[in-house]
Amino acid sequence: MTETTTRPDGAPPLLQVDGLTKHFPGRGGLFGRGGNPVKAVDGVSFCVRAGQTLGIVGESGCGKSTTGRLLMRLLDPTAGSVRLDGRELAELNRAEMQEYRRQVQMVFQNPASSLNPRQSIGSAIAAPLHAQRIDPPGGIKARVRELMDRVGLRPDHYNRFPHEFSGGQKQRVGIARALALDPRLIICDEPVSALDVSVQAQVVNLLDDIQRDTGVAYVFIAHDLSVVRHFADRVAVMYLGKIMESGPTQDVFGAPRHPYTRALLSAVPQADPDAERGRRIRLSGDLPTPADPSSSSSSGGGTEPGCVFRTRCPLRPQLDEEQQLRCAGEVPPAPDGEGTACHFPGLTDGEPGTSRG
């Protein structure tokens, strides 16, 4: 099954991403030139429908935040396609790109660093309206106060500055700013990771309420699987710039088929310490660098294809020599909306099987 097709009612996805890739120049050799490119994002594909939340999860350095910046065109992709309502992002002219940024907004990880310390909160929220030259009914100030009320900030906060607010309040300012243009899609890049646990729940509930009231779609980037499980309709699990598994949240979390997904889920804290010790899957070795992924480690030259997870895969002892050679020499098909990038996903349940994709 693939999520790239239109729905039975003929409506295409709001956002369609195909083969999105971002390679940064490598460092090596004389004067730091040359070397293998850093494959931060390496051919990811997914789609987001109107009013839907896609969660992107994975370890630090897996490429999930770079993916978010590519969607906002804060970075130019090396290859691949990003389409909003079927329109290719790379083909948009300056005026069309301005409209794209009106429809797609972003909430950043660190609320403090995303705000100008010399700019009042009211001015920060009004900035997108000024940038897009929009004069809403009743004026900009009335619109800003409406947004502040929507995210739980008091009207008298209008002229205050960021240093006068807590981390949770600063993130509410960031959310209000993202809502100023009535976007159809908001990219949330680790929006609660810098906040206290009690504040995290408040911010997630706020985002949930906003989606229910406005129908906005989210790409929710996070490393906290518990938050994603509560919030996202669909989830994509990333490792070394690739999507390992994707599908409906209840399927991926309830019956994970990729060994990396199972390892991530086993690390989620449980109320029973004894049960937690018994279920923890520990991965061998260190996380490889995206400039020299595990699939090329045996060749030394960075040219051998294969599964990027194979050298840390807990299933290796269960594989015979022929199966291990396949993992080392053949790249598993990437999930396209739903599926598993594993040649033998059934082994996670104790028996060989084939990919869902």
Side-chain angles (χ1 to χ4, degrees), residues 30-114:
L30 189 64
F31 305 116
R33 298 175 181 176
N36 295 333
V38 177
K39 300 178 180 179
V41 178
D42 198 22
V44 304
S45 300
F46 56 82
C47 77
V48 184
R49 300 197 180 280
Q52 184 183 74
T53 298
L54 170 70
I56 301 180
V57 301
E59 296 173 278
S60 296
C62 71
K64 55 188 186 294
S65 289
T66 302
T67 300
R69 282 161 171 74
L70 290 169
L71 298 182
M72 279 299 297
R73 205 54 184 273
L74 299 177
L75 294 172
D76 292 327
T78 304
S81 170
V82 178
R83 298 192 298 275
L84 184 74
D85 283 334
R87 298 197 64 185
E88 176 59 51
L89 181 58
E91 298 175 356
L92 301 182
N93 58 35
R94 179 174 295 183
E96 291 169 333
M97 194 67 210
Q98 186 86 338
E99 177 60 25
Y100 177 85
R101 295 192 186 281
R102 182 173 177 174
Q103 298 188 53
V104 182
Q105 287 287 300
M106 191 166 191
V107 175
F108 295 91
Q109 176 177 358
N110 190 333
S113 63
S114 65

Side-chain angles (χ1 to χ4, degrees), residues 115-348:
L115 296 173
N116 185 340
R118 293 185 175 89
Q119 187 179 47
S120 70
I121 294 304
S123 297
I125 297 173
L129 298 169
H130 290 299
Q132 293 278 350
R133 299 179 180 178
I134 296 174
D135 187 12
I140 289 180
K141 192 168 185 177
R143 171 61 173 160
V144 170
R145 290 186 181 279
E146 175 190 340
L147 291 165
M148 291 174 65
D149 180 67
R150 182 66 188 83
V151 300
L153 296 172
R154 299 200 309 267
D156 60 303
H157 288 160
Y158 189 97
N159 291 317
R160 294 188 182 182
F161 290 84
H163 71 272
E164 301 178 72
F165 292 84
S166 66
Q169 288 175 318
K170 291 174 186 175
Q171 195 59 289
R172 289 173 186 270
V173 174
I175 294 170
R177 182 174 56 185
L179 290 172
L181 301 175
D182 290 324
R184 302 170 63 198
L185 172 68
I186 298 178
I187 299 162
C188 302
D189 183 14
E190 301 267 13
V192 298
S193 64
L195 307 177
D196 293 338
V197 174
S198 60
V199 181
Q200 288 182 9
Q202 295 172 16
V203 172
V204 169
N205 288 336
L206 172 63
L207 291 170
D208 200 16
D209 290 342
I210 290 170
Q211 185 178 59
R212 186 166 52 249
D213 293 342
T214 67
V216 67
Y218 294 122
V219 172
F220 192 88
I221 298 167
H223 65 267
D224 190 330
L225 275 69
S226 299
V227 173
V228 173
R229 185 170 197 166
H230 165 76
F231 188 63
D233 302 300
R234 304 184 64 82
V235 64
V237 181
M238 287 190 70
Y239 178 83
L240 281 181
K242 295 180 179 290
I243 293 179
M244 298 288 98
E245 184 168 7
S246 63
T249 303
Q250 66 271 21
D251 293 347
V252 173
F253 280 69
R257 292 175 58 79
H258 197 283
Y260 179 63
T261 308
R262 289 170 62 89
L264 284 182
L265 290 172
S266 77
V268 176
Q270 300 293 313
D272 184 354
D274 294 329
E276 183 175 346
R277 280 195 294 270
R279 64 189 288 275
R280 182 69 185 270
I281 299 174
R282 300 188 181 277
L283 301 179
S284 61
D286 297 325
L287 180 69
T289 169
D292 186 18
S294 58
S295 59
S296 61
S297 58
S298 62
S299 68
T303 58
E304 184 181 353
C307 175
V308 294
F309 186 60
R310 67 180 178 87
T311 60
R312 302 181 73 200
C313 183
L315 300 182
R316 289 188 72 191
Q318 303 179 46
L319 303 180
D320 59 32
E321 182 178 356
E322 182 179 347
Q323 290 172 323
Q324 291 191 27
L325 287 174
R326 184 181 180 190
C327 292
E330 181 182 338
V331 179
D336 188 5
E338 185 169 334
T340 308
C342 180
H343 293 304
F344 310 105
L347 282 178
T348 60

